[in-house]
Amino acid sequence: MQNSGSQFTHVINHINAGIWEFNINTGEVKWSEGFYRLLGYEPAEIECSYSSFYEQLLYHGDRKLFVKSTNERSPNNSSTVQIRILTRDHGYQWFENTSWRIDEPAASKIYGAIVNIHEYKLAGLESERKDMLFSETGKIAKLALWEIDVNSMTLSLSGEGYDIFELNSQVRLTAEEMASFFEPPGRDEVTAAIGNIVRLCKPFDLELPFRTARNRLIWVKIKALPIIDNYGKCERIRGIIQDIDYIKKGQAALQESLDLTNDQNKRLQNFAYIVSHNLRSHTGNLKFMVDLFKETAQKSERDEIFEHIRSISDNLNGTVKHLEEIVKIQTEIGKDRKVVEFEPVFKSIAGALASNIDELDAKIEYDFSRLPAINYIPAYLESILQNLLTNSLKYYQPHRRPIIKCTTFENEQHAYLTFEDNGKGIDMKRFGDQVFGMYKTFHQNPDAQGIGLFITRNQVESLGGSIDVESTVNVGTKFIIRLN
């Protein structure tokens, strides 16, 4: 130390550390030559005192930490802390200070040693910054790292991985337990992929449905590469797992939108066909009959021609009304939706069709307990239920009591309506793509017009829903309608 000529002091002054001493009783401070050298000062450039160190050299933000460290009494009587000290030529740099307190009868002293750790500290801070950046990137991208030790088949998972699994970070998983989070048959696919990478060093890249610890179903991307030893055998499997649920849902929504657009285009083409073909056919026939009426003199023939004209006129009027219904659907989309209860609407429709129901001795069943009401356009719901019930009564199977069932339920935030009967059924192989077409009929009923299901589908899809049908000839038909 300063003013000491001992051999021990000579050694202290030449080691790569700064040694200091503080006499608690007198306030006297001593610094070694190494202390000055580490900070870049000459002894004459700065006063060797506690106030000089505390006020001029020690960074103000580290003062409290330094004082606490020098006053602490650990089991081995030492305390280590990292602080910033002002150097002569390089500004504040990081130092590690270790101090000891010795209480003697003559005086109580604190001894300390500082070591420059600036480069090491900056490297650590940069590493922490990169780790934090990677962690934040992983959180934003919902991306995690995982690794399997092939010998123990235990899984190491990054923090983001626990977020994806929705598990506590203290939980430890095996490779088999990780695979169990995937929905079948993806579970077997992941297990097989891990087996192949262990045996054959074959990487894999999969996108599969995944059920979290909180029972939330999502889509994840899981990808892995083998880490091999010097003999070419897989000793570790390292990979990533990413929550891609929002991507998959976006793709599904886009596909649904494309499908809806295609359906709308088909309906538009159908509409254009009706306008161009049916109306032209009606008007052409009407013109022909009018011309024929003008050229015919006999009353009996004119009366017969006039009846044809009346029939054509009625058909033309019916077609125009149907087209009006289709246009009306699009104009009513903007109407306010209201909370509509299924049971009173269904009962009202069944009451209006009571004579048909009684005549066929039809059994009408319904269950709206799982979804009693929906926010919908009331007129649309009435039309949908009326068309479905009317169809079921119209296409009953002779010599068999009609049984018609209507139910509602909710699944994954979607409202569903099912309508099922035991009627004639439809040959889906022949007519499956025509069920909802305009003027498409599949039975010989004289009153069939082929407009009801066309309108029903337009109403359902105009509000973002969908309608599917399952049917077997001579068994019955079931409509599954997603209302929203």
Side-chain angles (χ1 to χ4, degrees), residues 143-170:
L143 178 72
L145 299 178
W146 59 271
E147 185 175 281
I148 292 175
D149 184 304
V150 171
N151 290 327
S152 63
M153 294 306 285
T154 54
L155 175 74
S156 299
L157 197 60
S158 69
E160 292 74 24
Y162 283 99
D163 292 339
I164 293 173
F165 279 74
E166 293 187 335
L167 283 170
N168 186 289
S169 60
Q170 303 303 313

Side-chain angles (χ1 to χ4, degrees), residues 418-436:
T418 65
F419 215 96
E420 188 173 4
D421 64 48
N422 64 340
K424 291 181 178 180
I426 302 169
D427 187 341
M428 297 300 290
K429 289 184 179 179
R430 291 180 60 191
F431 306 118
D433 59 343
Q434 303 176 37
V435 172
F436 300 102

Side-chain angles (χ1 to χ4, degrees), residues 305-328:
I305 294 171
F306 186 78
E307 287 303 318
H308 285 299
I309 292 174
R310 186 196 301 275
S311 176
I312 294 170
S313 176
D314 290 342
N315 289 336
L316 176 60
N317 186 55
T319 299
V320 170
K321 285 185 177 179
H322 293 156
L323 295 175
E324 285 177 354
E325 284 292 324
I326 298 167
V327 173
K328 186 179 178 183

Side-chain angles (χ1 to χ4, degrees), residues 42-219:
E42 294 295 331
E45 290 183 282
I46 190 165
E47 180 187 353
C48 177
S49 67
Y50 180 81
S51 62
S52 175
F53 175 78
Y54 188 82
E55 297 292 341
Q56 298 179 36
L57 299 181
L58 182 61
Y59 178 61
H60 67 86
D62 296 335
R63 290 173 184 172
K64 186 176 180 180
L65 188 65
F66 176 76
V67 171
K68 181 181 178 183
S69 171
T70 56
N71 290 330
E72 281 181 344
R73 303 299 296 273
S74 64
N76 63 359
N77 204 33
S78 67
S79 178
T80 300
V81 68
Q82 293 178 354
I83 56 176
R84 283 156 289 189
I85 302 175
L86 184 64
T87 64
R88 184 179 183 276
D89 300 319
H90 304 291
Y92 284 103
Q93 290 201 328
W94 283 96
F95 291 82
E96 185 172 84
N97 177 79
T98 303
S99 56
W100 299 264
R101 176 168 174 159
I102 298 177
D103 294 312
E104 298 176 345
S108 294
K109 295 181 179 180
I110 299 176
Y111 296 92
I114 59 170
V115 179
N116 189 307
I117 60 166
H118 192 67
E119 295 300 324
Y120 164 78
K121 182 68 174 181
L122 292 185
L125 291 173
E126 179 62 15
S127 176
E128 288 178 10
R129 189 190 71 82
K130 288 180 178 179
D131 287 345
M132 184 209 47
L133 184 62
F134 180 81
S135 176
E136 290 300 313
T137 303
K139 287 179 181 177
I140 293 170
K142 297 183 178 181
L143 178 72
L145 299 178
W146 59 271
E147 185 175 281
I148 292 175
D149 184 304
V150 171
N151 290 327
S152 63
M153 294 306 285
T154 54
L155 175 74
S156 299
L157 197 60
S158 69
E160 292 74 24
Y162 283 99
D163 292 339
I164 293 173
F165 279 74
E166 293 187 335
L167 283 170
N168 186 289
S169 60
Q170 303 303 313
V171 176
R172 294 292 174 263
L173 298 174
T174 64
E176 183 179 2
E177 289 169 336
M178 178 184 76
S180 70
F181 280 79
F182 290 87
E183 290 285 284
R187 190 175 304 163
D188 294 335
E189 198 172 346
V190 171
T191 301
I194 291 174
N196 284 335
I197 205 171
V198 171
R199 293 191 306 273
L200 308 173
C201 295
K202 184 178 179 182
F204 64 84
D205 187 348
L206 303 170
E207 293 182 2
L208 298 167
F210 178 95
R211 192 168 294 278
T212 71
R214 295 181 182 176
N215 203 35
R216 192 168 60 90
L217 185 63
I218 62 173
W219 276 86

